Amino acid sequence: MAVQPIRPFTDPVLRTVSEPVTTFDRALRVLVKSLQATMRAGRGRAGLAAPQIGVPLRVVVYELDGKSGHLVNPRLELSERKIVADEACLSAPGRWWPLERSYMVTARGRDMFGKPATVRALGVLARVLQHEADHLDGILFVDHLPEEERERFLASIS
């Protein structure tokens, strides 16, 4: 499967709300495999959303600590417990920033064949799922930062 280039943080496609997947066909399976290959092509990559390779569909892949998979049309249920930890984005490589996220997530969606899928995650994997789901809504992690921090981050990638 071909590794795709990852769109940079400033690419307008990352600000587009992705369309729900309605057809679970061969093209979707090719997309999932391409996302997985692209995610695995670099060190330290734990998740990737379809918009990051320029495809505005609601598909994410993840792989962390031996747990890997994908979700199509994910919906997240977030715990009230929050934790602050450094977060990064493959669209802004090498930049880490502290960000508060829910510590636990239940993500429900479908697999590439249309079968229901549920992922329960804690800690870093929960953070990865929240980060990738944000991409599907045109939200970048910098949007969660206070204005002054956001300005500092954006200045660091300019």
Side-chain angles (χ1 to χ4, degrees):
M1 201 50 50
V3 172
Q4 302 295 317
I6 295 174
R7 301 294 178 99
F9 214 69
T10 54
D11 190 317
V13 73
L14 296 179
R15 291 298 190 175
T16 303
V17 176
S18 297
E19 294 293 322
V21 172
T22 57
T23 304
F24 293 81
D25 59 4
R26 184 177 186 286
L28 177 63
R29 291 188 292 281
V30 168
L31 172 62
V32 169
K33 291 176 193 282
S34 183
L35 283 166
Q36 290 170 330
T38 302
M39 177 185 61
R40 292 175 178 147
R43 279 188 56 235
R45 296 179 176 185
L48 190 64
Q52 289 180 278
I53 63 167
V55 179
L57 289 175
R58 301 187 74 77
V59 181
V60 301
V61 297
Y62 60 89
E63 182 170 32
L64 183 71
D65 297 333
K67 191 169 190 176
S68 65
H70 66 278
L71 284 169
V72 178
N73 300 331
R75 298 171 319 280
L76 302 186
E77 298 166 18
L78 307 175
S79 70
E80 290 185 24
R81 181 178 171 199
K82 308 284 185 190
I83 189 166
V84 175
D86 283 347
E87 191 162 321
C89 183
L90 296 176
S91 294
R95 304 298 196 292
W96 293 82
W97 220 263
L99 181 65
E100 182 178 82
R101 294 272 193 185
S102 290
Y103 177 72
M104 185 171 38
V105 168
T106 301
R108 300 179 197 284
R110 303 261 172 200
D111 69 11
M112 66 178 126
F113 301 102
K115 295 179 183 173
T118 301
V119 179
R120 289 178 180 80
L122 302 171
V124 177
L125 184 55
R127 177 173 298 277
V128 167
L129 292 172
Q130 290 169 80
H131 180 105
E132 302 312 333
D134 275 354
H135 275 302
L136 304 179
D137 291 323
I139 298 169
L140 301 174
F141 82 91
V142 69
D143 297 337
H144 295 291
L145 299 174
E147 185 176 344
E148 184 178 298
E149 289 292 306
R150 185 172 43 250
E151 289 172 7
R152 282 184 40 221
F153 177 85
L154 293 173
S156 78
I157 64 169
S158 299

